[in-house]
Amino acid sequence: QVQLVESGGGLVQAGGSLRLSCAPSGRTFSSFTVGWFRQAPGKEREFVLAISWNGDIYFADSVKGRFTISRDNAKNTVYLQMNSLKPEDTAVYYCAARSGPVYAGSSYSSAHLYNDWGQGTQVTVSS
């Protein structure tokens, strides 16, 4: 099991930007599939973005053109860059990771794909 440490959440005005970071404790991240999910109050957890071990990116339509995901293997960190933030982006954001292979037919947007989860970081966007 991998402990994931998230950082970078906070309060921002609509239209602003934030960058979230996710790093594993004691493991090398380069071979992991990493995803970001979010959960707003009273709503189910939803998929945001994911990046495979070889750099393929998957995203939810709701964040297309505004959010990006990247990984810096030298820093052993995955980033979620969020631009043009909207009040509806307000949520707790979770980093999730899968250390094993992703089999054909698997969905990167499914929470079941991921083995390990971070504690979450709050993002609040004011109008």
Side-chain angles (χ1 to χ4, degrees):
Q1 194 168 6
V2 178
Q3 182 178 3
L4 301 176
V5 180
E6 299 139 329
S7 61
L11 173 64
V12 64
Q13 288 187 334
S17 298
L18 280 176
R19 188 177 76 164
L20 307 183
S21 301
C22 175
S25 176
R27 294 286 299 272
T28 300
F29 229 12
S30 60
S31 62
F32 282 54
T33 293
V34 179
W36 286 94
F37 290 74
R38 66 186 181 185
Q39 188 166 19
K43 295 187 177 181
E44 294 186 352
R45 189 172 299 188
E46 65 173 359
F47 170 73
V48 179
L49 280 163
I51 185 167
S52 70
W53 68 272
N54 63 349
D56 292 336
I57 293 174
Y58 306 84
F59 54 86
D61 288 342
S62 59
V63 303
K64 183 179 180 181
R66 301 189 299 122
F67 291 12
T68 59
I69 188 172
S70 61
R71 64 194 317 154
D72 186 336
N73 290 333
K75 295 184 177 180
N76 207 33
T77 301
V78 169
Y79 301 101
L80 175 63
Q81 178 67 45
M82 304 184 293
N83 300 324
S84 302
L85 281 160
K86 304 175 181 180
E88 51 263 44
D89 295 317
T90 295
V92 177
Y93 283 71
Y94 296 90
C95 174
R98 177 182 177 87
S99 57
V102 178
Y103 300 104
S106 298
S107 172
Y108 285 84
S109 64
S110 171
H112 297 293
L113 182 72
Y114 302 89
N115 308 115
D116 301 290
W117 292 79
Q119 78 287 354
T121 185
Q122 177 70 46
V123 172
T124 303
V125 184
S126 63
S127 58

